[in-house]
């Protein structure tokens, strides 16, 4: 069986390994050399309820925290599947030689992370994502030597090839050196193409995260689920080219957020959320910082910044655990974080939404699978810290397994499909590419992206007003009109990155409309989505997945019920311990039951 | 099989630089230093060496062949290097560059030195004595070249010794490498002084 | 000081001739070399005021963990994202890495580094990805020794600065040698230690190191490459001697299948 896997991050690489192990041949297409994928940026760690700290942690507890953190906007069975597999996946990565941080006994060490009360996060210094990615990269290299994997690095995914029955039969991609466009016939395609941060410009994402493949497929009919769910990470170093992440692990290890008030440090998060303190879930922390800076106008020097302080911790200890993060701060901010508190501000960080997939990771196009950040399945309305790495690995693993099951059931193999559909799709893509070369107007594509970034970051992140979001949607449409007046400024036929960028730019516009549209549609506040006009969660009307379907006139939305078969949604509170909330709720339930019994 | 061959040859090259070439250099400088004790002492020492039984064979086997191997393979090693000392102003990089520079200087010097003081003697049948050397060093050009060649050889040996210890995995960490750097610097200075002193004995 | 002068060595393709182009870019606070190049994209006009083609370069994470944006900046190979303008002497001179084939402008093809990782068998030979329980225990001290090597992002700085990596040699460079040591440090990886040592002692292997030690000086991850190479020197020497003294392992009679 022949499979194409697009994307060489954690999800793509583990899917590759699983598929190879089960006998498939894989063409691995990646925008960058796989070892440079965005997964390297993950710092803090990977969640798995291994329970080695005597805290009575369990996968069920992890599952509960994940759902609660995501405000119950996730179908529950796959999330449980992920949490149950998590300890095994951590062990698997351990066996692959990932240099996790160890305890004195030589066991894996775990740290605390946001939205949880236990030590559940395995980590490797503060470069966990890099270490995990390298572990997989090495295994894939082994399969490459075996001849089961062929890598196509620095190729840009253009579209899926779909036959007359609506089944995916491969994809079309472009070599970014020679600019050759060709088809990759296969029995199935797994998309592992990551997030869409470039839409927001100054984010913690890598510059390659334009979401272009997701957008291409959305335009080919794949549903884009919960597009409005955009996570903003509370702590990053603001920069001119990008915002650099300061891991949640720093707060997990004791870092405190504060601003000066009456000449003394005011630990606002600890005051507002005594139970979880600085380790509330990310959306809550981001809004807290926004409140301090924008509403209370108490940001440092009146600017959008607060302190993240580790100066009270033992410098040697924190250096050992957070060396990577502290180094980034030293390098890019030029100050010594163990002596002077770090200055941070929230930045766009993660896309919970993505391609709609079923429990087998398959999209609504049969044969087209998706795993990792580019799909929507595991995080609901907000992702817990250190859950991204596990969701990428688990998703990739499931996809790698399920794709083979799908292949076995396939009635007609791709080898028997007429070559015409491939030729037709290649021709369509060549025509589109030629159109880009013919753009000879006056607009600079990079400047258009700047405008998009500004609008999206200002209006569609932490606090979302209906009015400014409507303005944003209009602006995007204006930009889409201006797109036609772009001057390509590089018409070369070799390694033309400008042409590639222009293609991605259009795709970013299409996604932006879905994001803004979804946010305007969801008239409540849930997880990362916070509308001051509708400050409360509304389970009755909006405990639903929003699915965007592309049309030439803009996104068309529909709602889908959520699988709540395992846990009843609770109110999300971080001022009181989770176990205490549960006890209270239990009492109330008993009271209610007694009351109804009395009535009877 | 070419793999092991490459490894072996390169390691032998490193080895030969110390045993026997480096050892020979030390002995040579030692014998030269007899000049400090005057003409008679020097002639006695040289005479002793010249009377070693089977000298020619020893000279060829223990000195000639290893030096030729070390020098010729070393030329190759120098050729495959592209140094950039003005791009990387790092101490070790300069040492690395000087090692190759002194290799070439030393080679030219040794060839010339062996030719005029050893091989020509075989053809002409002149005896090697204090006076021959003295006459020879009286030429200021020869004298300058002699000193340059001497210092180059001494540097090449001292830095080579340091490098040898790393190459064979004896000094691994930064501390041990720093210590041997000091030791090798002292060796360079002492050998340099000893060598120049001997030269001075001929021209005073 | 409101403008930055940048000199960029450009090349349209692998076989084209290179040329220099100068740009003037408005100075902003907190700028790095990446933001200079981004400014040029937005306004592709050179210092002479002529319209030109945006400079092509490689970059991704901008946090110095992916290794993509490595180039020679004012003579030293480093990541463009971590090169802050305020620390750089002007004019800022940007060149592509010289030890790898140029793709276009500042973008090079470093595939050879990944190929080298194949040569040294840079992986832990696990049985499979199915559930086999936890991995072997590793003492924290041993882990701390291995971890810095594991942060190597294959950026190529060490190879760029090494005088012995060039078109006349096949030297695999410090990065690959260090990776061999990483896998040899891991308890499972150590099971193939000999094979890796043989690879490191092989053609283009560790003997091509000339102790210039530039690699460690330019390594952005501060990996102690010098000590690693010295230790691998020792290991390969021991390996060479024992292999020769012991000879090839004889296959034991009872290893043969019975019947």
């Amino acid at each position: 069986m022949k499979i194409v896997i697009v994307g060489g991050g954690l999800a793509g690489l583990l899917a590759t390994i699983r598929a190879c192990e089960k006998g498939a041949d894989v063409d691995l297409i990646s925008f960058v050399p796989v070892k440079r994928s965005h997964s390297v940026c993950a710092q803090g760690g990977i969640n798995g309820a291994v329970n080695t700290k005597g805290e009575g942690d369990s996968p069920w507890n992890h599952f509960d925290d994940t759902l609660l953190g995501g405000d119950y906007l996730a179908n529950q069975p796959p999330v449980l599947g992920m949490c149950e597999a998590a300890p095994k996946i951590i062990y698997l990565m351990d066996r692959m030689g990932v240099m996790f941080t160890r305890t004195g006994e030589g066991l894996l060490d775990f740290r605390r992370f946001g939205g949880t009360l236990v030590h559940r996060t395995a980590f490797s210094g503060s470069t966990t994502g890099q270490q995990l990615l390298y572990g997989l990269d090495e295994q894939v290299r082994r399969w490459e030597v075996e001849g089961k994997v062929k890598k196509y690095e620095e190729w840009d995914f253009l579209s899926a090839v779909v036959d007359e029955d609506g089944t995916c039969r491969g994809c079309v991609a472009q070599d970014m050196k020679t600019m050759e466009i060709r088809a990759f016939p296969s029995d199935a395609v797994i998309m592992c193409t990551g997030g869409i941060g470039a839409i927001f410009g100054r984010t913690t994402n890598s510059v390659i995260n334009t979401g272009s493949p997701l957008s291409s497929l959305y335009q080919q009919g794949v549903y884009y689920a919960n597009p409005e769910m955009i996570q903003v990470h509370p702590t990053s170093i603001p920069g001119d080219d990008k915002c650099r992440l300061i891991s949640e692990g720093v707060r997990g290890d004791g870092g405190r957020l504060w601003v000066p008030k009456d000449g003394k440090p005011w630990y606002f998060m600890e005051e507002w959320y005594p139970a979880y303190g600085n380790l509330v879930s990310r959306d809550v922390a981001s809004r807290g910082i926004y409140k301090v800076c924008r509403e209370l106008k108490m940001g440092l020097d009146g600017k959008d910044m607060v302190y993240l302080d580790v100066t009270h911790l033992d410098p040697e200890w924190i250096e050992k655990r957070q060396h990577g993060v502290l180094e980034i701060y030293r390098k890019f901010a030029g100050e010594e974080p163990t002596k002077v508190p770090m200055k941070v501000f929230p930045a766009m960080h993660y896309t919970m939404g993505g391609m709609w997939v079923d429990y087998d990771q398959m999209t609504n196009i049969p044969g087209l699978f998706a795993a990792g950040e580019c799909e929507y399945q595991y995080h609901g309305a907000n992702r817990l810290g250190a859950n991204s790495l596990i969701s990428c690995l688990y998703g990739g693993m499931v996809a790698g397994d399920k794709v083979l099951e799908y292949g076995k059931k396939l009635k007609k193999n791709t080898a028997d499909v007429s070559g015409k559909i491939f030729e037709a799709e290649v021709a369509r893509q060549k025509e589109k590419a030629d159109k880009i070369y013919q753009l000879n107007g006056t607009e600079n594509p990079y400047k258009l992206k700047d405008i998009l970034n500004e609008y999206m970051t200002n209006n569609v992140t932490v606090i979302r007003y209906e009015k400014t979001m409507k303005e944003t949607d209009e602006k995007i449409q204006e930009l889409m009109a201006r797109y036609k007046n772009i001057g390509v400024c590089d018409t070369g036929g070799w390694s033309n990155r400008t042409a590639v960028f222009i293609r991605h730019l259009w795709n970013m516009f299409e996604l932006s409309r879905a994001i803004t549209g979804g946010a305007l549609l969801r008239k409540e506040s849930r997880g990362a989505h916070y509308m001051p006009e509708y400050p409360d969660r509304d389970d009755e009307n909006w405990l639903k997945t929003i699915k965007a379907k592309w049309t030439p006139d803009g996104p068309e939305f529909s709602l889908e019920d959520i699988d709540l078969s395992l846990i009843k949604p609770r109110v999300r509170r971080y001022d009181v311990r989770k176990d205490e909330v549960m006890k209270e709720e239990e009492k109330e339930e008993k009271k209610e039951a007694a009351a109804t019994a009395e009535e009877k | 099989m070419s793999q092991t061959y490459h490894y072996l040859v390169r390691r032998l090259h490193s080895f030969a630089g110390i045993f026997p070439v480096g050892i020979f250099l030390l002995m040579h400088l030692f014998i030269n230093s007899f000049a400090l004790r005057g003409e008679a002492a020097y002639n006695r020492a040289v005479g002793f060496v010249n009377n070693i039984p089977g000298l020619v064979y020893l000279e060829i086997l223990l000195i000639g062949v290893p030096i030729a191997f070390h020098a010729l393979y070393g030329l190759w090693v120098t050729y495959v290097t592209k140094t950039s000392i003005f791009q990387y102003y790092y101490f070790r990089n300069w040492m690395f560059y000087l090692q190759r520079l002194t290799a070439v200087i030393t080679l030219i010097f040794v060839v010339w030195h062996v030719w005029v003081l050893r091989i020509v003697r075989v053809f002409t049948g002149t005896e090697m004595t204090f006076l021959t050397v003295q006459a020879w060093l009286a030429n200021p050009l020869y004298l300058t070249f002699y000193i340059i060649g001497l210092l180059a050889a001494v540097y090449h040996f001292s830095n080579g010794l340091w490098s040898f210890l790393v190459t064979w995995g004896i000094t691994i960490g930064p501390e041990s490498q720093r210590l041997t750097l000091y030791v090798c610097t002292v060796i360079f200075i002492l050998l340099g002084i000893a060598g120049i002193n001997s030269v001075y004995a001929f021209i005073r | 000081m409101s403008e930055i002068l940048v000199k960029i060595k450009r090349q349209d393709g692998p076989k084209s001739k290179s040329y220099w182009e100068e740009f003037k870019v408005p100075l902003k606070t907190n700028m790095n070399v990446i933001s200079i190049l981004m400014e040029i994209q937005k306004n592709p006009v050179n210092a002479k005021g002529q319209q030109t083609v945006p400079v092509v370069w490689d970059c991704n994470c901008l946090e110095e963990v992916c290794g993509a944006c490595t180039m020679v900046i004012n003579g030293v190979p480093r990541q463009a994202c971590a090169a802050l303008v305020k620390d750089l002497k002007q004019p800022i001179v940007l060149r592509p890495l010289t030890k790898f084939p140029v793709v276009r402008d500042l973008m090079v093809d470093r595939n050879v580094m990944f190929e080298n990782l194949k040569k040294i068998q840079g992986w832990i030979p696990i049985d499979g990805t199915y559930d086999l329980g936890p991995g072997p225990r590793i003492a924290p001290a041993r882990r701390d020794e291995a971890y810095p090597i594991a942060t190597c992002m294959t950026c190529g700085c060490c190879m760029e600065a090494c005088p012995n990596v060039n078109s006349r040699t096949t030297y695999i460079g410090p990065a690959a040698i260090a990776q061999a040591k990483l896998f040899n440090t891991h308890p499972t990886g150590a099971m193939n230690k000999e094979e890796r040592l043989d690879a490191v002692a092989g053609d283009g292997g560790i003997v091509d190191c000339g102790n210039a030690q530039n690699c460690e000086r330019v390594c952005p991850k501060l990996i102690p490459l010098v000590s690693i190479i010295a230790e691998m020197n020792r290991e390969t020497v021991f390996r060479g001697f024992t292999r020769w003294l012991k000879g090839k392992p004889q296959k034991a009679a009872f290893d043969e299948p019975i019947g």
Side-chain angles (χ1 to χ4, degrees):
Chain A
M1 186 179 173
K2 180 89 176 181
I3 299 170
V4 167
I5 295 180
V6 186
L10 288 187
L13 295 184
L14 190 52
T16 304
I17 296 166
R18 291 294 276 207
C20 287
E21 229 170 53
K22 292 193 156 61
D25 289 295
V26 177
D27 280 346
L28 181 56
I29 298 174
S30 176
F31 191 78
V32 289
V34 295
K35 205 177 172 180
R36 309 201 194 285
S37 300
H38 177 61
S39 300
V40 291
C41 287
Q43 300 172 344
I46 174 169
N47 280 339
V50 177
N51 188 30
T52 54
K53 301 271 182 192
E55 294 165 325
D57 196 16
S58 66
W60 183 268
N61 200 13
H62 180 193
F63 165 64
D64 188 84
D65 281 345
T66 303
L67 287 181
L68 177 74
D71 250 346
Y72 298 95
L73 197 68
N75 289 320
Q76 297 183 351
V79 179
L80 181 62
M82 170 179 86
C83 296
E84 281 177 340
K88 292 172 199 159
I89 289 176
I90 291 176
Y91 282 153
L92 167 64
M93 299 314 293
D94 180 26
R95 279 175 44 230
M96 281 184 195
V98 173
M99 284 297 165
F100 284 110
T101 300
R102 304 267 162 178
T103 66
E105 210 178 314
L107 297 170
L108 302 185
D109 200 1
F110 288 81
R111 64 157 61 116
R112 256 192 80 194
F113 238 66
T116 162
L117 292 164
V118 293
H119 293 74
R120 186 189 289 148
T121 307
F123 60 102
S124 180
S126 54
T127 58
T128 316
Q130 186 197 38
Q131 296 305 307
L132 294 174
L133 183 79
Y134 290 1
L136 294 174
D137 172 62
E138 288 146 20
Q139 297 299 323
V140 168
R141 190 162 291 113
R142 199 173 155 211
W143 285 108
E144 209 185 345
V145 172
E146 299 271 321
K148 297 292 280 180
V149 176
K150 187 150 173 32
K151 281 185 194 157
Y152 294 86
E153 291 172 326
E154 304 196 347
W155 281 68
D156 189 22
F157 172 89
L158 301 187
S159 64
V161 178
V162 182
D163 69 8
E164 52 280 0
D165 307 329
T167 307
C168 176
R169 295 297 185 178
C171 73
V172 173
Q174 180 173 34
D175 182 339
M176 289 190 288
K177 272 185 207 146
T178 63
M179 308 310 277
E180 174 205 358
I181 293 175
R182 62 161 272 204
F184 290 83
S186 67
D187 295 308
V189 174
I190 307 177
M191 302 299 297
C192 307
T193 53
I196 61 165
I199 288 174
F200 294 83
R202 289 170 46 181
T203 83
T204 63
N205 277 200
S206 293
V207 290
I208 56 165
N209 297 138
T210 59
S212 176
L214 160 64
S215 182
S216 308
L217 292 168
Y218 163 60
Q219 290 165 61
Q220 279 189 297
V222 171
Y223 289 122
Y224 183 9
N226 293 336
E228 74 284 8
M229 290 306 175
I230 302 291
Q231 179 169 79
V232 174
H233 195 285
T235 56
S236 78
I237 321 165
D240 184 51
D241 51 341
K242 84 170 280 190
C243 295
R244 291 172 179 91
L245 181 67
I246 296 294
S247 167
E248 197 165 290
V250 171
R251 280 171 288 139
D253 283 342
R256 302 172 80 183
L257 292 166
W258 62 275
V259 286
K261 186 183 183 183
D262 312 324
K264 269 190 243 158
W266 174 40
Y267 299 100
F268 50 93
M269 292 311 283
E270 293 168 34
E271 189 179 304
W272 292 335
Y273 305 98
Y276 289 76
N278 296 294
L279 278 178
V280 293
S281 89
R282 287 180 176 170
D283 54 316
V284 179
S286 291
R287 278 200 290 279
I289 297 172
Y290 258 65
K291 191 173 165 185
V292 167
C293 294
R294 299 263 167 100
E295 225 174 276
L296 307 175
K297 307 255 179 245
M298 287 176 66
L300 303 173
D301 308 323
K303 286 187 194 145
D304 274 347
M305 266 188 287
V306 299
Y307 283 130
L308 170 59
D309 196 350
V310 294
T311 56
H312 57 288
L313 302 169
D314 174 20
E316 212 171 284
W317 178 83
I318 191 75
E319 189 67 48
K320 202 164 169 186
R321 290 171 74 94
Q322 296 290 355
H323 175 74
V325 174
L326 300 180
E327 265 305 293
I328 284 178
Y329 191 80
R330 275 182 204 116
K331 251 180 200 147
F332 294 100
E335 283 182 329
E336 177 50 52
T338 55
K339 297 213 173 90
V340 186
M342 294 180 268
K343 289 177 194 147
V344 297
F345 195 68
M348 184 275 167
H349 183 55
Y350 193 85
T351 26
M352 276 74 71
M355 279 181 253
W356 180 92
V357 289
D358 63 14
Y359 294 175
D360 290 350
Q361 305 284 145
M362 191 159 83
T363 65
N364 52 318
I365 296 181
L368 182 70
F369 292 71
E373 191 176 342
C374 71
E375 56 92 337
Y376 88 115
Q377 188 146 244
Y378 297 99
H379 308 295
N382 169 55
R383 174 175 69 77
L384 280 194
N387 258 2
S388 63
L389 294 178
I390 193 64
S391 68
C392 286
L393 289 171
Y394 179 70
M397 202 168 195
V398 173
D401 293 354
K402 294 294 175 184
V403 82
L404 274 116
E405 285 177 26
Y406 165 83
K408 273 181 205 147
K409 281 185 251 159
L410 204 57
K411 287 194 189 94
K412 194 163 100 181
N413 283 331
T414 296
D416 308 325
V417 173
S418 147
K420 277 188 190 143
I421 56 164
F422 300 105
E423 286 162 28
E425 187 57 32
V426 168
R428 193 172 79 93
Q429 292 302 331
K430 277 188 179 160
E431 200 190 313
K432 277 178 109 176
D434 286 344
K435 270 192 190 149
I436 290 175
Y437 276 103
Q438 284 154 15
L439 291 169
N440 59 356
T442 51
E443 296 277 5
N444 179 299
Y446 299 98
K447 281 185 185 158
L448 291 188
K449 176 178 168 278
D450 269 5
I451 301 170
L452 174 74
N453 293 162
E454 196 194 316
Y455 271 79
M456 293 301 286
T457 302
N458 286 342
N459 305 329
V460 203
T461 52
V462 178
I463 298 170
R464 297 166 163 183
Y465 296 98
E466 229 167 350
K467 183 168 160 273
T468 51
M469 281 202 291
K470 277 187 183 145
E471 282 167 21
T472 305
D473 195 41
E474 278 158 24
K475 192 74 190 177
I476 300 166
Q477 291 175 62
E478 181 204 312
L479 291 172
M480 287 167 107
R482 285 168 70 179
Y483 174 93
K484 300 189 170 77
N485 189 31
I486 282 176
V488 70
C489 63
D490 183 356
T491 50
W494 171 266
S495 188
N496 187 334
R497 294 295 171 128
T498 308
V500 171
F501 176 78
I502 292 173
R503 169 164 58 232
H504 285 208
L505 182 65
W506 179 265
N507 287 341
M508 285 191 256
F509 289 147
E510 293 283 4
L511 291 184
S512 304
R513 288 213 67 198
I515 295 165
T516 316
L520 276 166
L521 182 69
R522 189 178 281 285
K523 299 214 168 7
E524 62 159 350
S525 289
R526 178 186 299 276
H529 175 68
Y530 175 68
M531 284 178 94
E533 290 101 332
Y534 311 95
D536 297 316
R537 194 170 95 185
D538 176 2
D539 283 355
E540 206 168 308
N541 295 308
W542 290 107
L543 187 50
K544 290 192 166 58
T545 300
I546 292 182
K547 284 160 81 176
K549 185 175 182 299
W550 183 85
T551 75
D553 310 316
E556 220 175 72
F557 296 99
S558 58
L559 299 178
E560 188 182 84
D561 284 336
I562 288 175
D563 186 338
L564 300 167
S565 53
L566 297 165
I567 285 186
K568 206 178 115 197
R570 293 195 307 274
V571 181
R572 201 158 66 118
R573 288 175 70 180
Y574 287 111
D575 52 344
V576 186
R577 286 176 63 93
K578 183 176 100 175
D579 37 11
E580 279 162 20
V581 178
M582 285 165 90
K583 264 186 221 155
E584 269 177 38
E585 279 183 6
E586 234 171 76
K587 267 187 212 160
E588 265 173 39
E589 266 174 33
K590 273 182 195 160
K591 259 189 216 162
E592 269 175 39
T596 42
E598 254 175 47
E599 269 175 35
K600 277 180 187 171
Chain B
M1 224 40 225
S2 77
Q3 296 190 356
T4 13
Y5 169 77
H6 178 59
Y7 186 83
L8 191 70
V9 171
R10 191 89 179 224
R11 281 282 179 269
L12 277 179
H13 171 252
S14 165
F15 191 79
I18 307 295
F19 309 102
V21 180
I23 303 294
F24 169 70
L25 174 74
L26 292 179
M27 278 166 53
H28 194 345
L29 289 173
F30 178 68
I31 289 169
N32 286 1
S33 66
F34 277 85
L36 290 166
R37 286 280 175 89
E39 188 182 337
Y42 179 78
N43 284 346
R44 250 201 320 279
V46 173
F48 167 76
V49 173
N50 284 344
N51 284 324
I52 293 174
L55 178 69
V56 179
Y57 302 105
L58 288 179
E59 272 181 331
I60 291 173
L61 272 180
L62 284 184
I63 305 165
V65 172
I67 287 187
F69 163 68
H70 187 78
L72 292 177
Y73 190 74
L75 273 183
W76 167 254
V77 170
T78 307
Y79 167 74
V80 298
T81 284
K82 287 184 179 168
T83 39
S84 37
I85 38 168
F86 296 110
Q87 190 179 354
Y88 305 107
Y89 285 97
Y90 308 140
F91 173 73
R92 273 271 56 104
N93 191 42
W94 274 81
M95 293 288 122
F96 169 88
Y97 175 74
L98 288 177
Q99 185 70 0
R100 275 138 188 87
L101 184 71
T102 54
V104 177
I105 296 174
T106 310
L107 176 62
I108 296 169
F109 172 69
V110 166
V111 168
W112 177 68
H113 176 80
V114 169
W115 177 256
V116 295
L117 290 180
R118 183 71 186 87
I119 298 180
V120 170
R121 189 161 54 103
V122 177
F123 296 136
T124 58
T126 40
E127 263 302 297
M128 176 73 194
T129 63
F130 188 86
L131 290 176
T132 14
V133 180
Q134 196 171 39
W136 191 67
L137 283 178
N139 183 334
L141 215 66
Y142 288 180
L143 178 68
T144 318
F145 187 45
Y146 190 94
I147 290 172
I148 291 173
L150 174 92
L151 288 178
V154 168
Y155 173 87
H156 193 77
F157 168 74
S158 314
N159 189 56
L161 183 63
W162 179 89
S163 199
F164 173 89
L165 292 170
V166 181
T167 302
W168 289 82
I170 296 162
T171 47
I172 288 176
E175 287 83 13
S176 60
Q177 290 188 8
R178 201 175 311 123
L179 180 72
T180 51
L181 171 67
Y182 297 150
V183 171
C184 290
T185 310
V186 170
I187 291 175
F188 169 70
I189 293 169
L190 290 181
L191 289 182
I193 290 172
I196 289 172
N197 247 339
S198 313
V199 174
Y200 180 68
F202 287 103
I203 56 171
R204 65 185 158 189
Chain C
M1 257 315 273
S2 58
E3 266 184 345
I4 313 161
L5 183 63
V6 200
K7 281 178 77 174
I8 301 177
K9 192 179 184 193
R10 307 195 59 176
Q11 190 173 332
D12 296 339
K15 289 185 185 124
S16 319
K17 261 187 86 174
S18 61
Y19 58 97
W20 288 90
E21 195 159 41
E22 290 187 12
F23 294 89
K24 280 181 186 153
V25 175
L27 180 75
K28 287 188 280 180
T29 46
N30 281 335
M31 269 186 122
N32 57 10
V33 168
I34 297 284
S35 43
I36 293 177
L37 293 166
M38 283 178 167
E39 282 300 322
I40 295 173
Q41 278 185 330
K42 284 174 210 163
N43 185 23
V45 174
N46 66 20
K48 290 182 200 150
Q50 297 156 328
Q51 191 73 27
T52 183
V53 179
V55 180
V56 175
W57 82 98
D58 218 350
C59 75
N60 184 18
C61 76
L62 308 191
E63 291 177 9
E64 214 188 44
V65 280
C66 80
C69 66
T70 313
M71 54 185 78
V72 181
I73 300 170
N74 286 354
V76 182
R78 56 189 298 195
Q79 278 70 52
C81 63
L84 304 186
V85 168
K86 67 176 170 69
D87 304 332
L88 292 172
K89 229 166 80 186
Q90 288 198 33
I92 298 172
V93 182
L94 306 180
R95 281 187 295 140
L97 296 175
T98 60
K99 303 290 173 77
F100 306 93
V102 171
V103 174
R104 188 176 172 186
D105 291 344
L106 300 171
M107 186 182 264
V108 296
D109 180 359
R110 280 170 283 187
N111 199 35
V112 65
M113 294 193 77
F114 299 120
E115 290 300 317
N116 288 342
L117 292 177
K118 289 180 188 165
K119 280 190 194 159
I120 56 118
Q121 300 188 26
W123 51 76
I124 302 292
I126 57 167
D127 287 352
T129 58
Y130 30 86
D131 182 21
L132 288 174
R137 290 190 182 195
I138 301 176
R142 218 170 156 70
R143 179 265 171 199
D144 291 349
E145 192 187 328
Y147 174 72
I149 315 176
T151 61
C152 168
M153 50 193 184
T154 334
C155 68
C157 283
C158 56
M159 290 182 73
E160 176 68 19
C162 177
N164 280 2
V165 172
N166 59 56
S167 52
R168 290 172 187 164
T169 69
T170 54
Y171 184 33
I172 57 171
I177 294 171
Q179 290 302 302
K181 151 115 171 132
L182 169 67
F183 297 104
N184 282 359
T185 308
H186 190 272
T188 316
M191 294 175 188
N192 299 58
K193 197 173 178 172
E194 284 79 13
E195 287 161 47
R196 260 181 232 110
L197 286 176
D198 289 349
V200 165
D203 205 18
I206 195 164
V207 276
D208 285 349
C209 168
N211 296 318
Q213 302 193 347
N214 290 351
C215 52
E216 189 171 310
R217 296 296 294 264
V218 297
C219 176
K221 295 285 135 184
L222 309 176
I223 302 170
L225 291 164
V226 167
S227 305
I228 290 165
I229 292 174
E231 201 175 339
M232 291 303 271
N233 270 329
R234 171 189 286 181
E235 302 248 319
T236 51
V237 167
F238 275 114
R239 164 71 184 150
F241 272 115
T242 46
R243 189 173 62 172
W244 177 62
L245 291 170
K246 273 165 74 178
K248 275 192 187 136
Q250 297 288 312
K251 201 169 183 185
F254 46 79
D255 269 359
E256 300 291 335
I258 300 163

